[in-house]
Amino acid sequence: NRGGNMRSSIFILRILSNAIFWHVVIDARAVLVSHSHPSDVKHFEPKLDPNIGYWSPSTSSIDWCERNYVVTQYIAEFWNCISSFSMCILGGILFIRGLYNKIETRFLLSSLGLGFVGLGSAYFHGTLTHFGQMTDELPMVYSMIIWWFILVRMNEFKQIKRKLFAIDTLVVFGIFYGLLWTYVHSLQTFVLIFQGHMSLMVVGGITTLIYLYRQSHHHVYRLKYLLMVYVSLLISAFVCWAMDQQLCERMNNRSRLNPQLHAWWHVLGAVHCHLGIVCSEAMRLLSIKYKQHQEKNPQSSHQPFKPEDHLSIVFYVGLPYVNYSKEKRTIEAKAQ
């Protein structure tokens, strides 16, 4: 029931947005304390950046390598801020294509999640405030919860029975987990704990995605190629992220040109997330086609399912997308 799914999704978004407001905006503890105690702020040079601008004083628990308020007094970390919009652009494109092709709500939410992560990241790097840090880190967790739902339900097609109080336990768990993390993270911005938590969610998700690909009805060479690029982009992005921290002093003090590796982490990460959503869409489409094939051919030994015949990938400006044009033509033909 697409309408029911949409209403459930809107309800989930309302709960999470209310959680952000009440637990982060109103109940945020010690918002101005971090800059009063510079030793509590994670930074990557011997001294905390003293530059001040429109959003000063900084209230976030971390200050990245890019020098603050160098390009303009209105944006703390200019390049880190601007590069974050790459996630907004790619997420927006995926969302619009998803609406046009009438794909499942879960993928629309995943695309929106990528866009919100970009907006939150831009706000955080632009202001270096506690609230900005929350808008950067919490949407990452919410997006990963949605992605894990997609992965766990990749081959499932069960519908919630039409009851007044019917409950999807996986959705309830996702909401509870998101609310719990929102509250705990609003009390104290645990930088290392957050990074470790996200690493586990990402590595676990990639492992699950590769496991799903190894299933016979997902085994398409084009998907294998996309997954290889997907993992390679993550490794490249992580190298940029780590080098930006380890070589921060050298790049800022001993080099005329800082390559702004954290900004490149954003761009590479945006393309990486884009590929992850596209690969998930492709596998879900193959799962649906495989189920339809089994229903039409109960004794399918003489008519094996060929996944390569049911998946088309198109490229626009070098980026892949699932081609749903064949599906739309089939639906239109049945309607006539």
Side-chain angles (χ1 to χ4, degrees):
N1 188 317
R2 191 178 299 274
N5 289 339
M6 181 62 75
R7 287 192 294 271
S8 299
S9 302
I10 294 173
F11 177 69
I12 293 170
L13 287 176
R14 284 179 177 174
I15 290 178
L16 292 178
S17 62
N18 285 336
I20 293 175
F21 181 79
W22 289 107
H23 293 302
V24 179
V25 181
I26 293 180
D27 198 35
R29 268 76 165 176
V31 171
L32 296 175
V33 171
S34 62
H35 220 268
S36 301
H37 303 280
S39 60
D40 296 335
V41 181
K42 185 176 181 180
H43 52 93
F44 307 100
E45 290 190 275
K47 295 182 179 180
L48 191 63
D49 193 338
N51 293 342
I52 61 174
Y54 181 80
W55 301 97
S56 297
S58 169
T59 55
S60 63
S61 64
I62 188 168
D63 191 351
W64 298 98
C65 185
E66 182 181 355
R67 289 288 173 82
N68 301 338
Y69 300 107
V70 171
V71 177
T72 170
Q73 65 172 332
Y74 297 104
I75 301 178
E77 296 175 347
F78 181 84
W79 297 110
N80 288 347
C81 175
I82 297 301
S83 61
S84 299
F85 288 106
S86 59
M87 291 174 266
C88 302
I89 294 171
L90 295 184
I93 293 173
L94 285 171
F95 180 75
I96 293 172
R97 283 183 58 85
L99 284 177
Y100 177 76
N101 292 300
K102 298 179 180 180
I103 65 176
E104 291 176 289
T105 304
R106 64 189 71 178
F107 294 107
L108 297 178
L109 290 176
S110 186
S111 301
L112 276 179
L114 177 58
F116 279 118
V117 168
L119 286 175
S121 177
Y123 184 69
F124 169 45
H125 288 290
T127 64
L128 290 181
T129 59
H130 174 83
F131 178 69
Q133 188 172 356
M134 294 298 97
T135 62
D136 174 43
E137 295 174 350
L138 289 175
M140 294 184 197
V141 177
Y142 303 153
S143 297
M144 288 304 302
I145 291 173
I146 295 170
W147 195 46
W148 267 98
F149 175 87
I150 291 172
L151 296 176
V152 172
R153 290 287 173 83
M154 185 65 72
N155 294 315
E156 293 186 20
F157 302 92
K158 65 179 181 180
Q159 297 289 335
I160 300 177
K161 295 180 180 180
R162 292 178 175 274
K163 293 181 180 180
L164 183 61
F165 298 105
I167 295 176
D168 187 322
T169 54
L170 189 60
V171 173
V172 172
F173 175 78
I175 294 174
F176 173 77
Y177 192 84
L179 289 173
L180 177 64
W181 186 263
T182 300
Y183 180 72
V184 171
H185 202 53
S186 70
L187 297 178
Q188 180 67 41
T189 50
F190 307 100
V191 175
L192 292 179
I193 293 178
F194 170 78
Q195 292 173 351
H197 174 248
M198 282 300 301
S199 298
L200 289 175
M201 295 187 80
V202 171
V203 172
I206 292 174
T207 304
T208 305
L209 192 64
I210 294 174
Y211 167 78
L212 290 169
Y213 166 75
R214 293 176 63 85
Q215 297 174 347
S216 60
H217 57 283
H218 293 149
H219 213 281
V220 180
Y221 177 78
R222 283 162 288 183
L223 268 181
K224 180 180 180 180
Y225 167 76
L226 290 181
L227 284 172
M228 291 173 62
V229 177
Y230 171 72
V231 174
S232 299
L233 281 171
L234 179 61
I235 295 173
S236 301
F238 176 76
V239 169
C240 289
W241 181 82
M243 288 180 62
D244 181 70
Q245 300 174 37
Q246 298 302 318
L247 303 179
C248 180
E249 183 181 4
R250 178 178 300 180
M251 289 187 295
N252 276 336
N253 298 327
R254 304 178 187 178
S255 174
R256 290 185 176 181
L257 180 64
N258 185 331
Q260 305 299 346
L261 294 178
H262 193 85
W264 283 107
W265 148 264
H266 289 161
V267 175
L268 293 173
V271 180
H272 161 81
C273 293
H274 173 95
L275 287 177
I277 295 174
V278 171
C279 288
S280 301
E281 278 187 38
M283 290 186 189
R284 179 62 177 176
L285 178 61
L286 290 173
S287 294
I288 294 172
K289 290 297 181 182
Y290 181 62
K291 183 176 185 296
Q292 293 173 347
H293 176 82
Q294 287 183 313
E295 291 174 348
K296 292 180 180 178
N297 304 280
Q299 305 295 330
S300 59
S301 57
H302 60 285
Q303 290 183 340
F305 179 75
K306 297 180 180 179
E308 61 274 7
D309 295 339
H310 299 276
L311 178 65
S312 175
I313 301 292
V314 294
F315 287 83
Y316 297 109
V317 198
L319 293 173
Y321 299 89
V322 176
N323 184 7
Y324 292 100
S325 58
K326 183 178 179 181
E327 305 304 311
K328 294 179 71 68
R329 288 197 299 268
T330 302
I331 295 173
E332 290 172 357
K334 290 181 178 180
Q336 292 178 353

